[in-house]
Amino acid sequence: MIKLEKIKSTPIPTLKRLTRYLSVIHQLKESKTDYISSTEIANIMGLDPIQVRKDLEFTGISGFPRLGFKIDDLHFAIKEILNWNNTEDAFLVGAGSLGQAILGYDRFKSCGLKIIAGFDINPELIGKKISNIEIYHINKIPNLIKRLNVKIGIICVPASSAQDVVDLMVDNGILALWNFAPIHVNVPSDIIIENAQLSQSLGILTHKLAEKIKAY
Amino acid sequence: MIKLEKIKSTPIPTLKRLTRYLSVIHQLKESKTDYISSTEIANIMGLDPIQVRKDLEFTGISGFPRLGFKIDDLHFAIKEILNWNNTEDAFLVGAGSLGQAILGYDRFKSCGLKIIAGFDINPELIGKKISNIEIYHINKIPNLIKRLNVKIGIICVPASSAQDVVDLMVDNGILALWNFAPIHVNVPSDIIIENAQLSQSLGILTHKLAEKIKAY
DNA sequence: TTTTTATCGATAAAAAAATATCGATTTCTC
DNA sequence: GAGAAATCGATATTTTTTTATCGATAAAAA
Ligand SMILES: NC(=O)c1ccc[n+]([C@@H]2O[C@H](COP(=O)([O-])OP(=O)(O)OC[C@H]3O[C@@H](n4cnc5c(N)ncnc54)[C@H](O)[C@@H]3O)[C@@H](O)[C@H]2O)c1
Ligand SMILES: NC(=O)c1ccc[n+]([C@@H]2O[C@H](COP(=O)([O-])OP(=O)(O)OC[C@H]3O[C@@H](n4cnc5c(N)ncnc54)[C@H](O)[C@@H]3O)[C@@H](O)[C@H]2O)c1
């Protein structure tokens, strides 16, 4: 009987931890050490070393007994899983206060994301450059998505406009959406959507705090 | 043999979905319907109705066969779990571009959070008001945390200063931290910390997009 | 009124994720 | 060079989370 090799894709919880390992590893790259063990990572982050090792399995990198993993290799391999060694162009819609903060944020470039244009409906913003990224009128977006073959859209418009903007982008060929509007938007099942729900994270915090205060 | 009733606290995955149900329910409050069923919520959000029902169990609200759940009751009960019916005061540190976006964001008030002051080291910001919230020098923070009994701190400083700011706040009695800096910060085990890791969410998006493109 | 139907919610099963065990390996210490 | 110590990684177990089953219930339809 032939046993098919089950291709195990990286679980979401693992992906989330991998990005955190990356930031720890990134800090450590400065220091002189070449290796880091699962135990060390776990200690720094307050996790279980076994879990760290299990997660790192998905990188395909082998560790060395007594030494741990080669930092440079890990760093590269984790970025590879996240596809952060390549850079995808992206459009951002809604150049308001959050949109401008994101436009001005350099770090996403090392996270595989290059925002190449912004879009808005506010005439005062159109034509302006924010951190060297030009803002266009939203009606330019259909044409530009196709012409520049942009695959990622970032939604920073008010909740009330989010669905419309999403529809517009999806209709014109966007493949993945990063949504900051605090609302559920509908997309076809083949479109990737990630909600950067800040309120989700806030909800966990306020819930835990309430539990804690209740328990004295 | 006495069987102890196990007190099951709300699982984190459930909490996350609850905040999403809330936004769906919120939209529906406008419409004329008084009830919503797990099936409807599931359809809107592309989830399994059984899972929705399981999640809603944690609210303690009973549904009605054939009708579903009373929207108003659900709305209240979910906010109760998240502790969003109460409001906690919070301090925000780092009134840069992201900090200012958050300071200007009204919606967090309905998520149990009231930011009552901002802090920075940039002299140009000190004394300014952003969305009616005054910015103070960071050296005022120890005194004010204690005097105003503030429990939540929001970290919007650069990664390089995050640990220092966290330490300062923890030393002065902060109980919960909402961290936007893309870095692992160390806190004592009794301090609640939630990382609003945007790059985590971005990582999932870029990973999925790469998988999708690979698969053609 | 009776029947049909949609939904709830208790319980059970399956799947996924986290945690544990332990032999193999390799560096470090003596 | 021998033994001790730390870590990896394969396998197994436990826990958590998701999904399924199905009788009970109450509104809607007949
Ligand atoms: N500011 C925050 O801290 C924060 C936090 C979490 C979530 N969000 C969400 O992010 C989104 C943006 O928030 P913000 O604070 O930047 O709001 P904002 O009002 O400052 O910016 C919204 C921008 O979108 C533009 N816009 C409106 N409709 C548009 C359309 N149809 N097409 C293109 N552009 C359009 C507006 O002109 C404006 O520039 C909102 O959905 C908000 O709920 C904001
Ligand atoms: N801008 C974004 O879109 C974005 C996205 C994700 C994460 N972040 C993170 O959020 C944080 C803030 O980002 P930003 O874009 O607003 O940066 P920013 O440089 O605009 O703002 C940082 C602010 O912190 C202040 N500051 C520096 N050291 C301080 C200290 N020790 N005490 C008090 N204040 C201090 C600075 O004066 C400045 O006003 C960073 O850690 C960044 O990595 C930002």
Side-chain angles (χ1 to χ4, degrees), chain B residues 168-185:
Chain B
L168 181 68
M169 295 183 102
V170 168
D171 287 347
N172 287 283
I174 275 283
L175 297 181
L177 291 160
W178 197 17
N179 176 39
F180 286 81
I183 200 173
H184 175 82
V185 291

Side-chain angles (χ1 to χ4, degrees), chain A residues 89-119:
Chain A
D89 288 344
F91 281 168
L92 181 145
V93 188
S97 58
L98 182 62
Q100 293 192 20
I102 293 172
L103 286 171
Y105 192 52
D106 254 356
R107 175 179 264 263
F108 289 145
K109 279 181 197 137
S110 62
C111 303
L113 192 78
K114 187 178 174 201
I115 305 173
I116 58 169
F119 298 86

Side-chain angles (χ1 to χ4, degrees), chain B residues 57-102:
Chain B
E57 252 177 43
F58 288 93
T59 63
I61 302 292
S62 294
F64 299 91
R66 184 90 198 224
L67 285 178
F69 299 82
K70 229 179 158 206
I71 289 187
D72 287 345
D73 291 356
L74 264 195
H75 190 262
F76 182 85
I78 294 177
K79 289 190 91 172
E80 198 63 25
I81 289 186
L82 300 171
N83 197 30
W84 286 4
N85 290 319
N86 302 311
T87 303
E88 281 288 346
D89 288 343
F91 280 168
L92 180 146
V93 188
S97 57
L98 182 61
Q100 294 192 19
I102 293 173

Side-chain angles (χ1 to χ4, degrees), chain A residues 93-99 119-122 125 138 155-159 161 164-165 180-182 198, chain B residues 98 101-105 107-108:
Chain A
V93 188
S97 58
L98 182 62
F119 298 86
D120 209 294
I121 44 165
N122 183 345
L125 291 169
I138 182 84
I155 310 295
C156 293
V157 297
S161 318
D164 289 346
V165 166
F180 286 81
L198 295 191
Chain B
L98 182 61
I102 293 173
L103 286 171
Y105 192 52
R107 175 178 263 263
F108 290 146

